[in-house]
Structures are given as structure tokens and as C-alpha cells.
Amino acid sequence: MRQLFTLLCLLFLSQLSFSQQPQKSNSVEIFNQIQKLNFLGSVLYLAAHPDDENTRLISYLSNEKKAQTAYLSLTRGDGGQNLIGPELRELLGVIRTQELIEARKIDGGQQMFTRANDFGYSKNPDETLEIWDKNKVLSDVVWAIRKFQPDVIINRFDHRSPGTTHGHHTASAMLGFEAFDKTNDPTVFPEQLKLVETWQPKRLFFNTSWWFYGSKEKFDKADKSNLTQFQMGVYYQSLGKSNQEIAALSRSRHQSQGFGSTGTRGDEDEYLEFLKGESPKDKTNIFDGIDTSWNRIKNGKEIGEILTMVEKKFDFKNPSASIPELVKAYVLIQKLEDNHWKNIKIEEIKKIIAGCAGLYLEAVAEMQEVTLNSNIKVKLEVINRSSAKMSWLSYDIFPSKPEGFLEIPLENNKNNSKSIEININEKLEFTAPYWLKEKGTVGMYRVDDQKNIGIPDVIRQMKVIFLIEINGVAIPFDRNVIYKMNDDVKGEVYQPLDIVPIATSSIAEKVYIFNNGKSKVINVRIKAGKDDIKGNAKLDLPSNWSVTPKEIPFAISRKGEEQTVSFTVFPSKEVSEVYMKSIVTINNQAYDKEQININYNHIYKQIVLKQAEAKAIKLDIKTNNEKIAYIMGAGDEVPKSLSQMGYQVSIIKAEDISTEILLNFDVVMTGIRAYNVVTALGFKQNILFDFVKNGKTMIVQYNTLDDLVAKDLAPFPLKISRDRVTEENAKVTFLIPEHHILNIPNKITDKDFEGWKQEQGLYYPAEFDAAFTPILSAHDKGENEKKGALLVAKYGKGNYIYTGLSFFRELPEGVAGAYRLLANMIAIGK
């Protein structure tokens, strides 16, 4: 039995459990799980980003058809904007990854990824596939298909329409179209075949709709003979929700993108255009001609017969009555030769057996963060809340040695608990998103272990595997070690167990501007990962910069506490850009990581470990010390950058804007998308325009077209468009070289537009009043020039500036030219 248990444990290590809370399925949920257990069909939905997925279709396929349904998002959405906080790039990707995982918990799907990095908006798939490294992403798509073995693949976008939508969108469809023919070819990415088998999906669809035809009228008139059409506006009476309502709850998990959705009810058609493979004869059934019963696999017929009877005889008042037959089916599934369906159905039936028994299994650590080579106490809890005959045979800790047998009878509703001590082996890794552990490229994350490619979540290693005997059969159930606490407001709160360094440090700001040769005090915060640490901290800088003191000793008595030490840094004599690195040394061991905690209520706490560093820029920049009122929009770090430049910056709420308050400022600046998300701004425009009229300056950063809170963004007509320049190194033309915004107080040159990150700008106004003076023009390859990047209008005695330039990206990245140009914009009134 021990050998069988160990073998099974190895199997389970590849099955990641994303939900930290113990599963407490009700009778309706258990019954739906039994129906799904009896369906052997699968669908892979493929698109480019989080929030691209059709949650209505995923929910329908998973909940109505009972199919294994997965969403393969090629990227983690790192290049988007963030409506709920300041996190951008890889930190935003971490948030959006978790939002997708939470969405799938609601609509019943599974989540997968490739290594592609969302580098920002792309206008054509050729650019996308060049930056992504097409061959690697294609490899990942093939890997996902071979691993998931879908009968049906559905592309979200049309592979035949390059240039009409986001380049990532079209590229995702092109890769899905190409991969369909390659997944069954053993000469294509043969190295994968050590871990998976070749696989041939039956058919490929494109999830079309009237939107792709331009209008509902055009779609109504179109030839639909090649379309599969079905009604997915299902009402689930047992759940009290329509399919669309479930889908809306799922889509509303994308909070960082502002995709809260209201559920609908009633009939609604879905359309799929057949692209490749075997065309279904029944145009209402994507599985037509595919055996989705247990008969599709060898020795599956008997299992199907047992489960059919379980479904027919299921007692909603006493689910445990199904346990004996479910255990029989479990034993038969263990004997299957088809490892793919065997592994899937083992996990499904174990979940159902546990649900029918009300089997409560939990491993709770005494603390949420632990360090390597330490011991922690963990409480194990096992409760059989049914009349089924059970025993708790043993538990194993992974990764560790077997712990031995217990042979504890599990009586109905009797709590069985055991406190154990677990060693956090020094060979384990710190908790962090695995795709961020190695440095990648602009377009690709680096993941060297093939087995890990596509895994959606952080890989958590600490597990307890409970061996429970049910009706004479030993069944292992694995549970992640978690931490839980009681919050006075939220009640019982669960968080994953995190392994952190003994010490981490962070430099107070991410960019420091050194001007006029003056030194700056740099504060470094040191955080203890365990009790009683002491050592030395230092700042590492290139030799042409200097820092004093060379080292600073520190001592922190309690875990979680922080201590701040201060260094004085002197810049180089010449203009330069360098990185300051914080290094903490304890017992001759150097620690150079910063721990970034991401905390939002709709996702689990996330830890990201990054190099503890900051950019230091010796810059010849002139400012006039203006006082700036900043109105935050969708979240950015521009105010911090303005403070680094030496300005007095006050963040004010739109509700508080008044003529009297604005008398204290020279400049008002609105954050990104402020006119999309700050409703109160719509009622303050007259006050703001009067502020400009009386001789002051207003700078408005980019907004999108949707849901503008004010009819007039500017004192003169101005219409935002979708124009953008995505090539960050696109040549910039100075339309009026002599304009003082390009000359005073800093002379702006072509060099100031070198080294920009991700994009030059976005959502430029395409139509604007003659009162506006366009200052710059640029364009992506093959396009006409765009003049809406920086518009200046004289209004009364003051100046109104609208800019689509991506200062919100460039300033935190330390792009010197962006600082110099922004200083001139602020100084325009002087």
C-alpha cells in the first residue's frame, strides 16, 4: 500500500491546487460534478490577453455541455493599464493572472498561458510575432494542445484580418490556425514528446459575431452556411442563474481593467465559423461525431455504466449514499491505460467523493511567511461528516519523508486534528511567480523547465497528502499548506503559505534625479523575514558615483519589522544613468531582493521578488519650482516623479476643487484616464478652465474614448481618437522647433526621445480646434503622421495642454527625455 501511495503522490505533484480554501460543495454542485465526470470531451479557447475570452461561451461549454474547457491566454496582460492601482508591466501581469484564475473558478473553465510577454499595443501581427519570437510561442501553443488534448479548438479572433485589430489578437488566431496542423506531427517540437504525446484535435472554429462583420445588419444578411449556431442563454434552475449571469460574474473579476459586467437573461445565440478538420454535420453541436462517453477509452464502458447509475440515483438529501459506487469507479479509473483521461478523472472523482462525504481536510501553518531552513508548526484537521466508513491511514509532507501510519477511525462528524512540525527545506525556492525568476526579453518570459510552461499560478511546493481509507480503498488527497486568520470585518481569511528570504530591502523611490551636481539622501528600508537578524547594508554604485557611508550596521528583533538606513549619494560629474543596488549581508550571506506585496480583496496576496535597485540619473534639467495640484486618475506614479524633479506636488481630490484651493497652485495636472474614472471632474470643468483663463497652466494626460465624464475636455473643441504611436523609437518631428515648449527652460532634441519604453503615446486627439498648436508628429511604419501627441492652446492668460505621450510609463522607467520635456510643459506659463 505504501508503494502505491508514494506512486500516487508523485502523480499529484503535477496537479496544482489553486483554491486555498477547503472545498465545501453543496448537493447541486456535487451533482453537476458527477455529470461532468461522465462527459469525456474537451475544448480549448485561444486568444491573446486576459479579458479577451468569451466567458459566456466558456461557461456554457463547462456548465451546460459539461466539457473540459480551458482558456489559453497567450499573455498575462502585462502591457495594459491598471484601474485599481499603480502596478504596471510585470506587476500588472501578476494581478491579471490572478484575475483570470478567479474568473475560471466562477465560469468552470481552466486557465493556461504561454511565455509571451504583453509588450503593449501592436498594430500588426508581423511586429507582434517578431517581438514575441514566433517559434517559441508556437511551441508553447503546441505544448498546450498536446498537454490538454482538446477535441475542439476555438479561436477568439480572425486569422485572416491582419491590421484591423490589435496585432496580438490576429497573431493569436494565426498561431492557433498553424498549430492545429502541427500538434500531431512528431517532427514538430520533438523534445516535448518526452513528456506528452502528439495529438490531433477534431476541428477548429473562429468565434465570430456581428462585430466582425461591422454591424448587425451586415451580419443578418451574411451567408451562415459555414457557421455552427447554438443557443447559450441557458437558465440553470438549480443555481438560480442564467448562463450570461454566471459569465458576467466571471468577467467582473477583471477589475484592474474595469470590466465589471452586468448579467443578462433570455435567449442568446453564439456563432462559430468552421475553419479546419472534420466539419460537424449537426450545426448546433460542436462535438458532433465525437464520442464523449466513457466508451472512447479502453475499459471505460463499465465506469460509464456505474457513473450513469450514480447520476440517476443521486440523493440530494444524502449525497453520501453515492460513495460506495463512486469508490468502485475510482478503483476502475486507477486501472485505465489512457493516462490523459485517467489523471483528469481521478482528480474529479476524488473531489466528488470528498464532497459526498463532507470530508474536511486542512493543513494550516501558524504563520503566513516562513524562511528557508526553519521549522513551522502545522495543524492537520480531518473530519468525516457522513456515515461512510473511513479511516485516516497516514499523512505525507511534500517535499519531505513519509510520516508513517496513523490508522485513526473517522467517526461521523468527529474532529480529528494533529499538530506537526514541518521543516522548510533549504532546497526549496522562495515564493514568487516562476515566470519572473529569470530575466526574459521584451517579448518573452524565460521559463527553462518545459514542465512549467503554461502553468497559470505561482508554483507552491509545501503540501500535505492525506491518505484516507474509504470503503476499504486507500485514496490520497493533497492539500496545500495554507495560513488562515480571523479578520474582525472579513471573518475567516485564507492566504497561501509564502517562503521569503531572511531579509529583503527596498530603496524608497525607483528613480532619483540628480541635478546641478548636488547629493541626495537615499533611504533604504530593510525588512526582517524572521526574528533577531543583524548585519550590514550597503548601496552598490558604479565607480564614477560615490556613496557614504560604505556600510551601515542594522539589527531587527522581530519578524516583519522594518528598519530604515540612510546613505548620501554623490552623482558623477558627467551626465549618466546608473542603477543603485541595495545589498544586505547577514552571516556572510548576501540578500539583494526587494519583496513586493500585492494586496487586493478580489485576489490572493501575491509576492514578487525583484532586484532591490533604483535608477539614478545625473541630468542637466532646469525647473522653476512650480506648485502642482495633481488629480489622480486610474493610478500612476507620475506624482512621485514630479517630486523627484523638485516640484511641490499636492494630490487633490476632484470633489475638493474650488477657485480658492487652486489659488495656491501654478499648474493643475490630471492623471491618466482621469476623465474616464473620476466622475466629479465632470462638474469642475468651469473652475479648471477659469484657472487657466486667469493665467495658470492645466496639463491633461491621455484619456480613452469610452465613458468620458465631461462633454468638453478642453476650453476648445477636441476629439479623442484611437490614434497612437506604438513604436517607441519612431522618429519624432518638431513641427514648431522654435516653440518655447521645446526650448525653455530645456532645449529638447531628438535625443530626448531615445530609450522610450513600450510606446510613445496613445489615444491622440485626431480632431482639434485651430486654437490648438500641435508641437510634435510621429508615426508607425507605413502610416500617416499623427499630430495629436502634444497640443498647446492659449486660453485667456494661461495655457491648456493635452498630451497622449506615455509619461506614466516613461517617468517610472527613468527616461531622461520625458523628464526634460515635462519640465518644459510645466514651465510654459513662465
Side-chain angles (χ1 to χ4, degrees):
M1 183 179 293
R2 166 60 64 181
Q3 290 178 340
L4 172 62
F5 181 39
T6 303
L7 178 62
L8 291 172
C9 291
L10 292 174
L11 258 179
F12 300 139
L13 299 183
S14 63
Q15 305 293 323
L16 296 176
S17 175
F18 304 117
S19 176
Q20 306 300 328
Q21 295 194 21
Q23 298 162 350
K24 305 170 187 176
S25 300
N26 59 43
S27 292
V28 171
E29 291 168 336
I30 293 170
F31 182 71
N32 288 334
Q33 291 164 11
I34 291 171
Q35 290 180 312
K36 192 161 190 147
L37 181 63
N38 225 2
F39 188 92
L40 280 70
S42 53
V43 182
L44 181 68
Y45 197 86
L46 193 156
H49 312 106
D51 72 50
D52 281 345
E53 79 274 30
N54 183 342
T55 54
R56 297 186 311 278
L57 184 52
I58 290 174
S59 176
Y60 172 83
L61 292 169
S62 180
N63 297 308
E64 176 64 14
K65 300 299 289 185
K66 310 300 181 185
Q68 298 287 323
T69 309
Y71 174 42
L72 175 58
S73 176
L74 298 194
T75 76
R76 296 176 184 268
D78 322 77
Q81 284 83 50
N82 185 359
L83 286 181
I84 61 175
E87 296 89 356
L88 294 173
R89 294 300 305 142
E90 69 272 15
L91 299 183
L92 176 58
V94 171
I95 293 172
R96 298 188 73 185
T97 292
Q98 293 302 312
E99 289 176 338
L100 271 181
I101 291 171
E102 294 300 320
R104 297 295 79 78
K105 291 177 185 177
I106 293 171
D107 60 35
Q110 302 172 44
Q111 188 58 52
M112 304 172 77
F113 292 98
T114 73
R115 290 171 292 177
N117 188 343
D118 178 5
F119 56 85
Y121 193 87
S122 176
K123 292 180 178 176
N124 66 76
D126 292 338
E127 179 199 41
T128 297
L129 294 173
E130 181 179 348
I131 296 175
W132 272 354
D133 189 332
K134 177 191 172 182
N135 196 57
K136 287 183 179 178
V137 185
L138 178 62
S139 168
D140 291 357
V141 174
V142 169
W143 166 255
I145 295 171
R146 286 172 172 172
K147 193 169 155 185
F148 186 67
Q149 295 189 9
D151 297 307
V152 178
I153 298 176
I154 302 174
N155 280 345
R156 179 68 182 100
F157 299 103
D158 190 351
H159 68 285
R160 299 158 297 192
S161 56
T164 61
T165 182
H166 197 325
H168 296 186
H169 293 169
T170 310
S172 72
M174 293 168 67
L175 290 167
F177 191 83
E178 184 175 350
F180 184 87
D181 295 324
K182 294 190 173 181
T183 56
N184 202 32
D185 185 344
T187 66
V188 175
F189 308 119
E191 67 281 359
Q192 297 179 0
L193 301 181
K194 298 175 183 177
L195 302 168
V196 292
E197 299 176 350
T198 57
W199 177 253
Q200 182 57 59
K202 289 291 190 296
R203 53 188 63 117
L204 172 68
F205 291 103
F206 158 46
N207 186 194
T208 190
S209 69
W210 68 263
W211 188 85
F212 292 95
Y213 286 73
S215 70
K216 291 182 179 179
E217 292 75 14
K218 291 180 180 179
F219 183 63
D220 290 339
K221 296 176 182 177
D223 178 12
K224 299 183 179 63
S225 59
N226 195 37
L227 301 187
T228 293
Q229 177 183 354
F230 50 89
Q231 217 295 314
M232 59 84 175
V234 181
Y235 175 65
Y236 302 109
Q237 193 164 8
S238 60
L239 301 176
K241 292 184 178 68
S242 70
N243 185 66
Q244 300 99 312
E245 288 172 317
I246 293 173
L249 292 171
S250 171
R251 189 157 184 78
S252 295
R253 293 295 88 192
H254 296 297
Q255 293 185 17
S256 65
Q257 300 301 292
F259 281 126
S261 179
T262 300
T264 60
R265 290 144 293 280
D267 292 345
E268 190 170 346
D269 289 326
E270 194 71 53
Y271 295 91
L272 303 177
E273 180 185 350
F274 173 75
L275 298 178
K276 274 187 181 182
E278 300 175 9
S279 178
K281 295 178 182 179
D282 180 354
K283 295 297 184 181
T284 65
N285 180 15
I286 66 171
F287 289 106
D288 181 53
I290 302 172
D291 188 353
T292 57
S293 72
W294 279 94
N295 294 329
R296 78 179 292 172
I297 58 178
K298 184 180 178 182
N299 299 324
K301 182 180 179 181
E302 184 180 356
I303 298 169
E305 291 172 349
I306 292 173
L307 296 178
T308 298
M309 293 305 298
V310 169
E311 183 178 338
K312 286 182 178 179
K313 295 182 178 181
F314 184 75
D315 186 346
F316 285 85
K317 292 184 178 180
N318 181 24
S320 64
S322 299
I323 290 176
E325 293 302 304
L326 287 169
V327 171
K328 287 182 184 178
Y330 170 81
V331 173
L332 292 174
I333 294 171
Q334 292 276 20
K335 298 176 181 178
L336 291 175
E337 298 176 13
D338 186 319
N339 285 325
H340 174 73
W341 283 111
K342 174 181 175 180
N343 292 336
I344 290 173
K345 296 305 177 180
I346 281 175
E347 290 305 301
E348 286 185 1
I349 199 168
K350 286 190 342 183
K351 181 179 178 179
I352 293 168
I353 291 171
C356 287
L359 182 60
Y360 187 91
L361 303 169
E362 197 171 67
V364 180
E366 63 181 336
M367 58 188 71
Q368 197 269 315
E369 294 184 359
V370 296
T371 56
L372 293 176
N373 205 26
S374 65
N375 294 321
I376 59 165
K377 292 181 180 178
V378 175
K379 181 183 177 181
L380 307 182
E381 188 174 358
V382 179
I383 309 176
N384 167 24
R385 293 178 286 191
S386 74
S387 58
K389 185 178 179 181
M390 294 189 196
S391 294
W392 181 9
L393 297 181
S394 68
Y395 63 91
D396 276 5
I397 301 167
F398 179 83
S400 184
K401 61 181 181 180
E403 293 297 312
F405 284 89
L406 298 173
E407 301 282 0
I408 299 174
L410 297 177
E411 299 176 15
N412 185 12
N413 211 29
K414 181 179 179 181
N415 187 295
N416 297 272
S417 61
K418 181 178 179 62
S419 293
I420 63 173
E421 193 170 79
I422 292 180
N423 176 255
I424 307 301
N425 192 301
E426 61 183 7
K427 294 181 180 179
L428 295 176
E429 295 185 349
F430 297 128
T431 300
Y434 70 91
W435 61 92
L436 296 179
K437 290 186 177 181
E438 301 291 340
K439 186 175 179 59
T441 65
V442 172
M444 295 294 295
Y445 283 120
R446 179 180 167 186
V447 181
D448 295 330
D449 190 338
Q450 179 70 49
K451 294 190 298 297
N452 292 343
I453 293 174
I455 291 176
D457 207 352
V458 173
I459 299 174
R460 300 190 183 277
Q461 298 164 291
M462 292 304 304
K463 297 177 184 290
V464 172
I465 304 171
F466 299 84
L467 187 61
I468 309 296
E469 185 179 72
I470 305 175
N471 277 31
V473 176
I475 304 177
F477 297 88
D478 65 317
R479 295 291 185 268
N480 285 347
V481 178
I482 52 93
Y483 170 78
K484 72 176 181 180
M485 59 168 284
N486 183 72
D487 182 274
D488 290 342
V489 175
K490 301 175 183 176
E492 191 175 50
V493 175
Y494 284 76
Q495 290 292 350
L497 177 70
D498 291 321
I499 302 174
V500 300
I502 290 175
T504 54
S505 63
S506 61
I507 302 173
E509 304 293 343
K510 294 307 171 193
V511 178
Y512 288 87
I513 303 297
F514 290 80
N515 201 17
N516 301 324
K518 294 181 179 179
S519 64
K520 284 201 171 190
V521 174
I522 308 298
N523 293 324
V524 175
R525 293 189 301 273
I526 305 166
K527 180 181 178 182
K530 70 172 189 176
D531 293 341
D532 297 319
I533 66 168
K534 60 181 179 179
N536 293 296
K538 70 175 183 177
L539 273 183
D540 186 33
L541 284 136
S543 58
N544 58 337
W545 290 61
S546 61
V547 58
T548 183
K550 297 296 183 185
E551 286 189 341
I552 299 177
F554 70 89
I556 304 176
S557 59
R558 296 187 62 182
K559 171 185 174 179
E561 289 186 347
E562 295 183 354
Q563 182 177 331
T564 299
V565 296
S566 299
F567 298 89
T568 301
V569 171
F570 298 85
S572 60
K573 294 181 180 179
E574 67 279 0
V575 172
S576 63
E577 298 181 9
V578 301
Y579 281 96
M580 301 182 286
K581 296 183 179 179
S582 172
I583 301 174
V584 174
T585 303
I586 301 172
N587 295 329
N588 297 319
Q589 177 70 46
Y591 298 90
D592 61 356
K593 292 292 187 287
E594 172 186 6
Q595 178 178 327
I596 301 171
N597 293 335
I598 299 176
N599 281 301
Y600 290 101
N601 288 333
H602 66 302
I603 60 175
Y604 283 121
K605 170 195 166 191
Q606 299 295 301
I607 286 180
V608 178
L609 296 176
K610 295 181 67 178
Q611 181 73 49
E613 63 183 12
K615 197 170 188 178
I617 305 173
K618 169 62 189 312
L619 187 62
D620 181 15
I621 183 172
K622 299 179 179 66
T623 62
N624 293 324
N625 300 317
E626 287 89 350
K627 294 181 180 179
I628 300 173
Y630 198 94
I631 304 165
M632 292 295 291
D636 61 57
E637 295 189 329
V638 170
K640 290 183 179 180
S641 300
L642 293 171
S643 296
Q644 274 295 316
M645 295 167 72
Y647 297 111
Q648 298 179 53
V649 183
S650 299
I651 296 177
I652 64 173
K653 294 181 179 179
E655 302 93 296
D656 298 333
I657 293 173
S658 67
T659 301
E660 291 72 26
I661 286 178
L662 295 185
L663 288 174
N664 300 314
F665 299 100
D666 303 299
V667 177
V668 168
M669 191 170 184
T670 62
I672 57 174
R673 298 177 71 174
Y675 283 94
N676 297 121
V677 299
V678 184
T679 303
L681 266 178
F683 306 104
K684 300 293 184 176
Q685 288 297 80
N686 289 337
I687 297 174
L688 292 169
F689 293 162
D690 285 345
F691 172 80
V692 178
K693 194 173 185 178
N694 291 328
K696 303 299 180 69
T697 299
M698 183 175 181
I699 301 173
V700 176
Q701 296 183 81
Y702 95 94
N703 296 274
T704 66
L705 290 74
D706 303 321
D707 300 321
L708 290 168
V709 301
K711 179 182 177 182
D712 299 313
L713 294 185
F716 306 104
L718 175 146
K719 187 175 181 180
I720 299 171
S721 73
R722 297 188 183 277
D723 285 353
R724 62 175 79 204
V725 177
T726 63
E727 296 169 17
E728 54 268 28
N729 295 318
K731 178 175 175 52
V732 177
T733 299
F734 298 164
L735 298 174
I736 307 178
E738 67 277 10
H739 197 285
H740 49 282
I741 208 169
L742 296 176
N743 294 278
I744 301 171
N746 304 285
K747 178 69 175 177
I748 304 300
T749 68
D750 292 341
K751 190 173 182 180
D752 289 300
F753 286 92
E754 294 177 1
W756 282 51
K757 306 296 183 183
Q758 186 164 324
E759 60 199 348
Q760 277 189 9
L762 61 170
Y763 291 99
Y764 293 169
E767 299 176 25
F768 42 86
D769 191 84
F772 284 102
T773 301
I775 304 299
L776 307 171
S777 75
H779 61 87
D780 291 327
K781 293 175 184 175
E783 294 191 355
N784 297 325
E785 65 176 355
K786 307 289 189 296
K787 295 183 178 181
L790 181 58
L791 303 174
V792 181
K794 193 73 178 176
Y795 182 63
K797 299 178 183 178
N799 295 275
Y800 176 96
I801 300 175
Y802 190 96
T803 180
L805 293 171
S806 58
F807 289 109
F808 74 104
R809 295 195 190 279
E810 312 314 320
L811 299 180
E813 292 284 351
V815 177
Y819 280 90
R820 286 164 47 81
L821 178 57
L822 184 56
N824 284 16
M825 292 162 58
I826 292 169
I828 193 171
K830 299 199 176 178

